[in-house]
Amino acid sequence: MIPRIAIVGAGPGGLTLARILDLGGIAATVFEQEAHALVRPQGGTLDLHVGSGQLALTRAGLTAEFERIARYEDQGSRLYDKAGRLLLADDDADGDRPEVDRTALRNVLLASLPEGRVRWGHALREVRPREDGRYDLVFEGASAGPFDLVVGADGTWSRVRPLVSAYRPQYTGLTFIEFGIDDVDTRHPALSRLVGRGKIGVEGDARSLIVQRNGHAHLRGYAIFRVPTDWAARRFDFSAPAAARARLAAEFEGWAPEILDLIRAANDQIVARAIHALPVGHHWPNRVGVTLLGDAAHVMSPFGGEGVNAAMLDAAELGRLLVETQDWREAVRTYEAEMFQRIVEPATEAAEAAATELSHDSLALTLAHFSEHARSRTAQAAST
Ligand SMILES: Cc1cc2nc3c(=O)[nH]c(=O)nc-3n(C[C@H](O)[C@H](O)[C@H](O)COP(=O)(O)OP(=O)(O)OC[C@H]3O[C@@H](n4cnc5c(N)ncnc54)[C@H](O)[C@@H]3O)c2cc1C
């Protein structure tokens, strides 16, 4: 029997699953809270890894589309200190983790789905179990169902998760203030040279800046602080961008002018993101008809860049198992058991990175990490 499947959330995880199911002859419906695909830019750049994000796109039959949006040339990384001294530069573009813009990735996935497969403007409020063992979805002013299987791909604050787990993501202690710089190559050539082709990190005084090159000559920056969750709301008025910019630059007082220029050049979209994570090893007893993937199942701090890759690999595996396994209930059980194991290592690394970020010795630790990374890449290149 082909199960009736609802996927909640049209993020990279939910859309990858919908596409792989579609290729396997299962037409799942995706319910997304956003009103339409272009309601907001989907955020920054992501590097897709060979064995996870890229593998998922291969299984989704989207390799050619991926190659069209992949930016292999933007894999460099540089580390500066607060005086603007370059401590380490790895401008090598030979890596196998190309960057893609989140919006471009979403567009590729959306274009691969039949018209109408995503139901926009459907913010899930509740999943309601029925007496026949199936589930109805309740939205603002509407409902849908019944479904045999509900897949929560609805991110950090999943409304599906409470059906299987009482855990809630915990604050990591880190808040990112996110900002963007437009048209950097022509309007800010000095900043374009400072960042180069990839991303830079600048650390000092128990705070840091990460700035990443996105497509279309856009830079996205994160100013990172270890503070209480309500700190940003108390300190910044984001509805007054000029004041927020000045306030943010003041947080880095004494840093080199060329570094502060990154903040001064920011556009008016300045937002705070309190970074939350589920505990490492988060899992739940199987409940027939409900499962989770991606951030809904295992949101972790973004250090390590595994989140989107893990979400897409979850989708690829759940999709494959649902298509190949005769009993869909068995497919979900197998998916969950394997995913719980698979995610422990990246979640541990992300948790440790968040725990040590902004320590009194973080610059030296980051330098050691960068050097180790560069050494292992050189060794890898020599052995191939
Ligand atoms: C600042 C920051 C930087 C990051 N950088 C990286 C990086 O460089 N590399 C990387 O791999 N990962 C990164 N991540 C993590 C990455 O963004 C996530 O791991 C990834 O997006 C998870 O995909 P997902 O599909 O599981 O969930 P999401 O991308 O969160 O998608 C969830 C979808 O569900 C929808 N939704 C939510 N609630 C509802 C509801 N009630 N009803 C209907 N729809 C709903 C949302 O609108 C959204 O479209 C970063 C995260 C942050 C916060």
Side-chain angles (χ1 to χ4, degrees), residues 2 26 72 167 180 186 203 207 240 244 253 268-269 287 330:
I2 296 183
I26 303 176
Y72 283 88
Y167 280 94
T186 45
E203 294 188 24
R207 63 204 66 190
E253 199 185 326
D268 287 353
Q269 269 80 55
R287 174 173 182 166
E330 181 59 31

Side-chain angles (χ1 to χ4, degrees), residues 206-248:
R207 63 204 66 190
S208 73
L209 275 177
I210 294 175
V211 180
Q212 294 176 311
R213 181 175 285 274
N214 289 222
H216 309 289
H218 182 77
L219 298 182
R220 180 164 297 245
Y222 304 100
I224 306 178
F225 304 93
R226 186 169 290 285
V227 287
T229 28
D230 61 348
W231 175 84
R234 282 191 278 109
R235 190 159 297 213
F236 293 90
D237 177 2
F238 294 112
S239 66
R245 242 184 328 264
R247 179 70 255 166
L248 188 57

Side-chain angles (χ1 to χ4, degrees), residues 80-83 201-209 224 251-252 255 358-360 362-363:
Y80 292 91
D81 68 10
K82 65 177 188 170
V202 195
E203 294 188 24
D205 306 332
R207 63 204 66 190
S208 73
L209 275 177
I224 306 178
E251 295 294 336
F252 292 89
W255 286 35
L358 307 184
S359 82
H360 72 286
S362 61
L363 186 59

Side-chain angles (χ1 to χ4, degrees), residues 39-381:
V39 76
R40 65 173 176 99
Q42 289 297 301
T45 182
L46 304 160
D47 57 320
L48 293 191
H49 305 172
V50 173
S52 45
Q54 291 184 43
L55 173 73
L57 287 174
T58 304
R59 292 214 195 136
L62 297 170
T63 309
E65 288 78 356
F66 164 69
E67 293 295 340
R68 270 199 288 280
I69 61 168
R71 290 181 287 108
Y72 283 88
E73 66 279 15
D74 285 346
Q75 296 180 81
S77 47
R78 298 177 180 173
L79 183 66
Y80 292 91
D81 68 10
K82 65 177 188 170
R85 278 188 298 254
L86 182 63
L87 302 179
L88 211 136
D90 177 8
D91 288 340
D92 192 355
D94 289 343
D96 59 3
R97 293 182 166 193
E99 298 286 332
V100 297
D101 282 2
R102 211 182 258 266
T103 305
L105 178 62
R106 190 188 231 190
N107 288 343
V108 161
L109 290 164
L110 280 174
S112 76
L113 290 171
E115 192 73 23
R117 193 57 63 78
V118 179
R119 308 272 293 273
W120 301 97
H122 281 69
L124 181 75
R125 299 195 118 201
E126 189 194 336
V127 181
R128 198 168 282 164
R130 295 159 48 99
E131 281 184 359
D132 62 5
R134 296 189 287 172
Y135 296 87
D136 289 325
L137 302 185
V138 181
F139 307 95
E140 200 89 38
S143 64
F147 294 100
D148 300 299
L149 175 62
V150 178
V151 181
D154 50 344
T156 308
W157 303 110
S158 171
R159 293 279 181 121
V160 182
R161 188 168 52 229
L163 274 88
V164 292
S165 165
Y167 280 94
R168 289 176 58 79
Q170 289 173 300
Y171 181 50
T172 58
L174 296 170
T175 288
F176 287 18
I177 309 283
E178 186 180 311
F179 58 93
I181 303 170
D182 301 318
D183 210 3
V184 67
D185 297 334
T186 45
R187 287 174 58 194
H188 309 284
L191 299 182
S192 173
R193 284 192 298 275
L194 183 80
V195 173
R197 303 297 325 186
K199 68 167 185 293
I200 64 165
V202 195
E203 294 188 24
D205 306 332
R207 63 204 66 190
S208 73
L209 275 177
I210 294 175
V211 180
Q212 294 176 311
R213 181 175 285 274
N214 289 222
H216 309 289
H218 182 77
L219 298 182
R220 180 164 297 245
Y222 304 100
I224 306 178
F225 304 93
R226 186 169 290 285
V227 287
T229 28
D230 61 348
W231 175 84
R234 282 191 278 109
R235 190 159 297 213
F236 293 90
D237 177 2
F238 294 112
S239 66
R245 242 184 328 264
R247 179 70 255 166
L248 188 57
E251 295 294 336
F252 292 89
E253 199 185 326
W255 286 35
E258 61 271 30
I259 304 287
L260 289 178
D261 282 347
L262 288 163
I263 297 172
R264 296 189 191 114
N267 65 26
D268 287 353
Q269 269 80 55
I270 305 174
V271 293
R273 297 196 189 284
I275 304 298
H276 289 74
L278 280 162
V280 176
H282 176 240
H283 65 286
W284 58 88
N286 175 262
R287 174 173 182 166
V288 174
V290 182
T291 195
L292 306 174
L293 63 74
D295 279 8
H298 44 62
V299 60
M300 57 185 90
S301 88
F303 301 105
E306 287 290 344
V308 84
N309 289 286
M312 291 173 73
L313 184 57
D314 287 354
E317 281 299 279
L318 179 57
R320 178 182 69 76
L321 286 158
L322 283 168
V323 169
E324 289 177 358
T325 314
Q326 200 132 33
D327 178 355
W328 64 266
R329 296 170 189 82
E330 181 59 31
V332 174
R333 276 195 294 275
T334 307
Y335 155 75
E336 288 177 350
E338 291 176 0
M339 181 266 285
F340 294 149
Q341 292 294 321
R342 183 170 67 231
I343 207 65
V344 170
E345 190 181 323
T348 303
E349 284 172 11
E352 286 182 5
T356 52
E357 175 78 9
L358 307 184
S359 82
H360 72 286
D361 205 18
S362 61
L363 186 59
L365 291 172
T366 306
L367 200 51
H369 177 75
F370 264 59
S371 309
E372 179 58 36
H373 185 65
R375 255 199 307 278
S376 69
R377 266 180 51 173
T378 312
Q380 218 174 13

